[in-house]
Amino acid sequence: MTAGTIPALFARQAEALKTAPLFLVRRGGAYHPITWAQAAEELRAFSLSLLQQGVEPGDRVLLLSENRPEWGLADLAIQSVGAWAVPIYPSLTAEGVRAICQDCRPVIGIASTPEQTAKLLAVHRETVCFRAVVVMEGAAQAGPPPVVPWAEALAQGRAADLELRERLGRRQSDLRPDQTATIIYTSGTTGEPKGVMLSHRNFLSNVEACLQVIPIRGRDTHLSFLPLSHVFERMAGWYLMMAVGARIAYAESMDTVPRDMLAVRPTIMLGVPRFFEKLYFKIQEGIRQAPPAKRRVAEWALRAGRAAAACELAGRPVPWPLRVRRALADAVVFRTLRSHLGGRLRFFVSGSAPLSKEIGEFFYSVGVTILEGYGLTETSPVIAANRLPVPRFGTVGLPLPGLEVRIAEDGEILTRGPHVMQGYYRKPEATAEVLTDGWLRTGDIGHLDAEGCLVITDRKKDLIKTAGGKFVAPQKLENLFVTDSHISQAFVYGDRRPYCVALIVPNPDRLRRYAQQEEIAAGSAAELVRNPRVAAFYWGLVQARQQGLPGFEQVKRIALLEQEFSQAAGELTPTLKAKRTVIAQRYAAVLDALYQPAP
């Protein structure tokens, strides 16, 4: 694997696997395979069409699309001609696309749908950057720039003459591992997004290191639903699966993932903590709503599962009577639960944000393992990961082989190795701020435990320093609060303030049920969150979760919000991490009121 480039890796696998399925795509209500040979033929045709458009080595090509086979083929075609793929989130507005285009000046745009094409055309009217826009679904349009349907681009590539085909061969032969493969713009939870330059070696070294510790195999099937524009899904859900010859099925949308799991029956899936939180709450709600007899059986099974898991996680043997109880619990309850995940899932991998220890342990206790990892866009991305058979929940596992991790005096995590980015595009000063002698400052605070596992405390820039000089990690508190089924989201605030406070978003179903049980009359969520009895109830939940923490770490007051933070409102990144600055600004008046004397 250490040899070569990403297109070379694909070519080697396509030659070996030819008629095996590479992609599974849902069309007409069912999943259909696309073989390695079919994908290789389309890839070659699209690469030739890029050459026909005059794409040169080092040119930037924008890729604006949801997850689909054409995304991966476009990505490889761009790299095959020596250009740099610039993937961006399909959720971005035209203004967001414009900022990226002004920075990297792409020569070609590739869009999934007419709606995404419209964004590129709107940007072009102001920046005049695209020679052409290729649309995966949609009709041709006269320019400038011309809009070329995907099928037409493939037809043009297939009709290419010998000279062009030879030029493609030379481009591919000229590719080197240390050449830039992509610019990935960070989602930007704070500040201006920066373009991270990653090479073929960056990605492939990370693929190889991950495969040394996470047993993904050619017979695995991965259901992809996290955005390919994000480095986590791109490396682990595309390049890594390509490297082992696994099948990749694309969920139709985030909302269809439960249905698609039943259809595809995946063995591997990547997720983010918010996905697992929602799954956890759904399971808990199902148990609560079950008839009394079934609920008692489920609760007995969970007790058995938790007790057995506690032994395994502590490194102790499971006593045989408990083994028998867990086996019975598995046969009666847990197997049915896992069947709703397709019935073949070997494990999940979680990344992008901290996973609650309680949620990780819960899933492990029912026979569903979540391997939490840690990394950054700037590190291609994985730095550390948990391993089978027994993860260490509350940590992100051991550092990957072939790279170095150390902790700076102020607690910041530093890393060095072949996974570290080439730098930020056109930002030498920003690059110099984070890179010194090959060591990358991650911006995260943490430590290595006695076993050598990495424990992440929080983002360095997110740490709250209260007016009393005490440091508080907001994500630690937020993860504590959202493990209560009544709480959907939490946001902790308090930098340079006398104490910490929190915005709490109730789980709407649980909120309504509580109101009914307590006979609280209310016509809307807005009325309920303003009700003093509801506020007192939620304050009790928060108090229970933070009990035992030092006083300076505890939130002293809360405010309830009627609506969830959302990506559409600009409050969450595409991987559902909080944009802390945006939330703090949007709810400034609410937060300020929490520091006023109580009425």
Side-chain angles (χ1 to χ4, degrees):
M1 174 137 353
T2 51
T5 62
I6 298 164
L9 170 64
F10 177 88
R12 186 165 67 242
Q13 291 290 70
E15 180 62 28
L17 297 170
K18 290 181 182 173
T19 58
L22 167 58
F23 299 123
L24 298 172
V25 59
R26 190 177 178 92
R27 291 173 181 149
Y31 274 91
H32 300 277
I34 296 173
T35 67
W36 282 85
Q38 290 170 315
E41 192 278 329
E42 286 204 10
L43 167 59
R44 181 171 176 79
F46 194 65
S47 301
L48 289 164
S49 76
L50 291 177
L51 289 185
Q52 289 169 328
Q53 293 289 349
V55 176
E56 296 292 337
D59 280 348
R60 279 74 61 205
V61 177
L62 205 71
L63 182 50
L64 177 62
S65 170
E66 303 79 11
N67 291 14
R68 55 196 297 163
E70 293 90 345
W71 195 106
L73 299 181
D75 175 41
L76 291 179
I78 295 163
Q79 296 176 31
S80 293
V81 301
W84 303 356
V86 184
I88 55 178
Y89 293 104
S91 57
L92 273 185
T93 62
E95 290 74 21
V97 175
R98 182 181 300 108
I100 289 173
C101 288
Q102 287 172 337
D103 189 56
C104 71
R105 307 299 298 182
V107 298
I108 300 289
I110 303 170
S112 55
T113 62
E115 291 74 21
Q116 302 293 0
T117 300
K119 295 179 189 175
L120 300 188
L121 297 180
V123 168
H124 181 82
R125 284 193 288 272
E126 294 187 19
T127 61
V128 190
C129 53
F130 299 117
R131 292 178 200 152
V133 172
V134 178
V135 59
M136 298 170 186
E137 296 174 19
Q141 299 178 38
V147 175
V148 182
W150 177 265
E152 186 177 318
L154 294 183
Q156 291 170 353
R158 289 172 181 135
D161 58 25
L162 180 60
E163 189 278 329
L164 202 67
R165 293 171 185 271
E166 289 176 345
R167 194 192 315 167
L168 176 61
R170 290 193 296 273
R171 290 276 184 96
Q172 292 170 328
S173 298
D174 289 343
L175 284 179
R176 294 292 178 266
D178 287 322
Q179 286 180 263
T180 302
T182 190
I183 301 174
I184 301 178
Y185 282 84
T186 56
S187 53
T189 56
T190 61
E192 176 193 2
K194 297 185 287 287
V196 177
M197 300 166 62
L198 297 176
S199 69
H200 297 269
R201 188 189 303 280
N202 285 150
F203 276 123
L204 294 184
S205 71
N206 209 237
V207 166
E208 185 171 17
C210 287
L211 288 176
Q212 289 182 49
V213 300
I214 300 177
I216 297 175
R217 304 185 287 258
R219 59 179 177 271
D220 278 317
T221 298
H222 166 53
L223 179 62
S224 170
F225 70 93
L226 297 181
L228 277 163
S229 306
H230 191 272
V231 68
F232 177 38
E233 183 68 34
R234 189 175 181 190
M235 186 285 293
W238 176 211
Y239 301 150
L240 190 151
M241 299 300 164
M242 179 200 307
V244 299
R247 291 174 297 280
I248 305 167
Y250 290 113
E252 201 162 17
S253 72
M254 186 75 82
D255 295 334
T256 65
V257 169
R259 180 201 70 189
D260 295 335
M261 290 182 80
L262 293 175
V264 171
R265 303 184 67 226
T267 59
I268 305 288
M269 281 184 68
L270 311 181
V272 293
R274 187 67 180 147
F275 171 77
F276 300 114
E277 288 165 12
K278 289 186 173 181
L279 192 56
Y280 170 78
F281 293 141
K282 187 175 180 182
I283 293 168
Q284 297 283 4
E285 194 65 19
I287 292 171
R288 272 188 291 270
Q289 293 184 358
K294 283 190 174 181
R295 185 169 63 248
R296 284 193 293 272
V297 170
E299 289 170 347
W300 167 84
L302 287 176
R303 286 194 297 272
R306 285 195 182 101
C311 292
E312 292 176 347
L313 294 172
R316 302 192 306 267
V318 181
W320 73 263
L322 182 54
R323 286 203 303 270
V324 171
R325 289 207 306 276
R326 183 174 62 176
L328 184 58
D330 194 79
V332 175
V333 177
F334 301 158
R335 195 172 299 165
T336 301
L337 187 155
R338 293 195 299 271
S339 72
H340 294 298
L341 306 178
R344 297 195 306 165
L345 194 73
R346 296 202 294 123
F347 53 84
F348 283 111
V349 180
S350 178
S352 180
L355 177 72
S356 162
K357 184 173 184 283
E358 181 176 330
I359 288 177
E361 290 177 347
F362 168 82
F363 279 104
Y364 182 83
S365 73
V366 301
V368 178
T369 301
I370 303 174
L371 298 177
E372 183 180 10
Y374 160 70
L376 311 169
T377 304
E378 289 87 342
T379 56
S380 315
V382 185
I383 296 172
N386 269 288
R387 276 75 155 161
L388 294 173
V390 183
R392 285 183 58 81
F393 296 111
T395 84
V396 292
L398 295 166
L400 293 186
L403 58 84
E404 298 174 82
V405 170
R406 66 181 174 88
I407 309 299
E409 288 184 7
D410 64 356
E412 185 172 8
I413 299 163
L414 311 181
T415 186
R416 182 169 67 178
H419 61 313
V420 172
M421 68 170 179
Q422 297 175 305
Y424 295 119
Y425 181 65
R426 295 176 57 202
K427 287 183 169 58
E429 296 85 2
T431 302
E433 285 176 12
V434 299
L435 271 175
T436 305
D437 298 328
W439 286 99
L440 177 82
R441 286 184 282 279
T442 64
D444 289 310
I445 299 295
H447 64 272
L448 294 165
D449 70 7
E451 310 269 332
C453 292
L454 188 59
V455 180
I456 312 296
T457 307
D458 217 304
R459 289 292 292 168
K460 187 174 180 179
K461 59 192 171 188
D462 291 345
L463 281 178
I464 292 169
K465 186 177 184 180
T466 66
K470 299 290 189 179
F471 284 98
V472 178
Q475 290 183 0
K476 172 185 173 182
L477 286 168
E478 289 159 3
N479 277 342
L480 276 177
F481 299 154
V482 300
T483 52
D484 190 293
S485 61
H486 289 85
I487 298 173
S488 178
Q489 292 171 317
F491 175 80
V492 174
Y493 176 83
D495 199 44
R496 297 185 297 278
R497 298 282 199 156
Y499 51 83
C500 291
V501 298
L503 302 178
I504 301 293
V505 183
N507 177 312
D509 294 334
R510 300 288 288 163
L511 176 61
R512 282 193 295 271
R513 188 168 300 124
Y514 171 76
Q516 290 168 358
Q517 290 170 352
E518 298 298 314
E519 298 181 343
I520 298 172
S524 67
E527 290 175 326
L528 279 177
V529 298
R530 289 196 297 268
N531 185 286
R533 290 166 62 195
V534 171
F537 172 70
Y538 273 87
W539 175 239
L541 298 177
V542 167
Q543 285 281 65
R545 289 288 162 176
Q546 64 181 358
Q547 188 177 17
L549 293 177
F552 71 86
E553 267 194 290
Q554 297 185 20
V555 302
K556 305 304 182 189
R557 295 180 69 183
I558 65 170
L560 303 183
L561 303 182
E562 61 186 279
Q563 286 187 322
E564 284 197 343
F565 306 127
S566 71
Q567 189 182 341
E571 297 155 339
L572 303 179
T573 71
T575 50
L576 307 181
K577 289 185 285 190
K579 292 187 176 182
R580 309 194 75 85
T581 304
V582 172
I583 294 171
Q585 289 173 348
R586 186 157 294 165
Y587 293 97
V590 178
L591 292 165
D592 285 342
L594 293 175
Y595 292 98
Q596 304 305 313

